Amino acid sequence: VEQLVEARREWLDNRVRFANLSLPSMEALSLSALQQWLQVLGGALTYLQAEQGCSKARAKGLQEEYDLKLARAKGALEDLPKSASEAQKEAKVLASDTNLWEVRWKQVEADAIVAMQDGYIRAFDKAWDTISRQITALTREMEQTTGRTN
């Protein structure tokens, strides 16, 4: 079981897509460069949201599969007392059914991927907002410098 857990951890580490965008100092960027960064972040954010949609669908499907298989396996339990809790029944089933354990592990991994994607989406969204505010400030500054008003 420990080897399976370790193999799953390695799989998860390799499966998750890490977005490695390090933003330069915004004070040093021109308006054009900031606009390009805004486009890059907007594209990355859209991609991550689409990926997350797929990940959420996978996680939901795995949860449904797990729930159905668990219910079927609990119904077949005969060696537990009637007073056994649902957690005890689930533990008994998982201890004896490696296929169900595998589905549960995949479901946990899928939930972890969705949670990591949430973090990336929030970070990219925050970066997009920050750059957008910087573009607005630069645009206002340029308008004031040139004497233009709206």
Side-chain angles (χ1 to χ4, degrees):
V1 172
E2 288 180 27
Q3 290 173 337
L4 184 57
V5 170
E6 186 57 35
R8 284 286 175 202
R9 281 193 189 121
E10 287 177 27
W11 175 86
L12 182 59
D13 290 343
N14 293 328
R15 165 64 180 92
V16 177
R17 296 179 183 179
F18 290 98
N20 190 14
L21 290 178
S22 55
L23 296 173
S25 173
M26 282 190 281
E27 295 84 28
L29 294 178
S30 68
L31 182 60
S32 175
L34 285 170
Q35 290 169 333
Q36 288 175 350
W37 269 106
L38 203 59
Q39 288 176 341
V40 167
L41 287 171
L45 188 56
T46 300
Y47 172 78
L48 282 171
Q49 289 168 334
E51 278 281 310
Q52 188 181 51
C54 294
S55 297
K56 283 182 177 181
R58 181 174 188 269
K60 182 164 177 48
L62 287 168
Q63 181 66 51
E64 292 294 323
E65 179 183 359
Y66 177 76
D67 290 345
L68 289 172
K69 287 182 176 182
L70 180 62
R72 190 176 334 131
K74 281 182 181 179
L77 286 177
E78 296 175 0
D79 59 341
L80 282 177
K82 296 277 185 209
S83 62
S85 70
E86 291 301 309
Q88 288 171 321
K89 291 176 185 177
E90 184 174 7
K92 176 74 173 173
V93 169
L94 287 173
S96 62
D97 187 341
T98 57
N99 290 330
L100 185 61
W101 192 88
E102 180 76 16
V103 171
R104 178 68 178 137
W105 190 261
K106 286 179 183 178
Q107 197 266 322
V108 168
E109 288 172 341
D111 286 343
I113 289 169
V114 169
M116 284 189 277
Q117 288 168 333
D118 274 340
Y120 283 124
I121 287 169
R122 282 192 305 276
F124 279 45
D125 194 40
K126 185 69 94 173
W128 195 93
D129 288 345
T130 301
I131 292 174
S132 181
R133 282 192 302 274
Q134 184 70 17
I135 288 172
T136 301
L138 276 175
T139 303
R140 283 186 186 146
E141 184 181 306
M142 289 171 63
E143 287 174 351
Q144 289 174 353
T145 303
T146 60
R148 286 183 36 204
T149 58
N150 287 339

